[in-house]
């Protein structure tokens, strides 16, 4: 993450001086999976940033806010946005209904994964010792 730069003129109220220095150096303390900025997600998905922030507000796309209030997205966010757009256009659903469909699809995926695991566990031979 880049440090915010502010000129001494901005910090002291004087004009004319253009020397820049870092006001605060910001470090990420953990390896966060949220790596894409709003501009990056908007450009990759081909949507305006306002619509992407609406998707976040509706809970259709996961994002994280940093201390400055900026949104950060996972690398999979553009594909999640494309999924939302496909559901909206293909099924003629409003965004609230798309959220319900996404929740149901995620639940079906978790249930199918659990079923596969239980079937694999049933196939493994048990040792009686």
């Amino acid at each position: 993450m880049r440090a915010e730069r502010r000129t001494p003129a901005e910090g002291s109220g004087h004009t004319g001086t253009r020397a820049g220095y870092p006001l605060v150096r910001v470090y990420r303390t953990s390896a966060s999976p949220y790596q894409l900025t709003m501009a990056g997600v908007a450009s990759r998905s081909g949507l305006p940033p306002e619509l992407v922030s609406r998707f976040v507000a509706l809970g259709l796309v996961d994002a994280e806010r940093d201390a400055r209030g900026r949104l950060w997205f996972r690398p999979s966010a553009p594909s999640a946005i494309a999924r939302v757009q496909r559901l909206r256009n293909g099924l003629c659903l409003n965004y609230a209904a798309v959220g319900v469909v996404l929740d149901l699809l995620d639940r079906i995926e978790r249930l199918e994964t659990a079923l596969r695991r239980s079937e694999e566990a049933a196939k493994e031979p048990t040792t009686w010792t």
Side-chain angles (χ1 to χ4, degrees), residues 108-129:
I108 289 169
E109 183 179 345
R110 285 193 307 270
L111 290 171
E112 286 178 344
T113 302
L115 180 63
R116 271 189 241 109
R117 284 185 187 151
S118 66
E119 287 175 350
E120 289 173 5
K123 290 179 183 177
E124 292 180 8
T126 56
T127 58
W128 298 92
T129 55

Side-chain angles (χ1 to χ4, degrees), residues 1-7 10 20-26 68 70:
M1 191 173 265
R2 295 178 21 206
E4 179 183 353
R5 296 215 177 256
R6 183 176 288 180
T7 64
E10 292 172 338
Y21 61 91
L23 180 65
V24 176
R25 186 167 299 272
V26 178
R68 295 176 65 189
R70 294 177 300 188

Side-chain angles (χ1 to χ4, degrees), residues 9-128:
E10 292 172 338
S12 64
H14 301 292
T15 59
T17 309
R18 296 294 293 172
Y21 61 91
L23 180 65
V24 176
R25 186 167 299 272
V26 178
Y27 296 102
R28 287 200 168 189
T29 57
S30 65
S32 175
Y34 298 92
Q35 301 168 349
L36 294 177
T37 63
M38 170 69 80
V41 170
S43 67
R44 289 180 185 184
S45 62
L47 297 175
E50 294 82 17
L51 186 56
V52 175
S53 65
R54 180 181 292 174
F55 287 171
V56 172
L58 292 172
L60 300 174
V61 179
D62 291 332
E64 178 182 86
R65 286 200 187 271
D66 64 2
R68 295 176 65 189
R70 294 177 300 188
L71 289 173
W72 291 89
F73 297 86
R74 294 177 187 223
S76 62
S79 62
I81 290 173
R83 186 179 187 194
V84 168
Q85 291 294 95
R86 281 193 310 272
L87 286 171
R88 178 168 164 79
N89 295 332
L91 299 176
C92 298
L93 300 174
N94 62 18
Y95 289 125
V98 168
V100 171
V101 170
L102 288 173
D103 289 342
L104 291 173
L105 289 173
D106 289 342
R107 183 176 171 103
I108 289 169
E109 183 179 345
R110 285 193 307 270
L111 290 171
E112 286 178 344
T113 302
L115 180 63
R116 271 189 241 109
R117 284 185 187 151
S118 66
E119 287 175 350
E120 289 173 5
K123 290 179 183 177
E124 292 180 8
T126 56
T127 58
W128 298 92

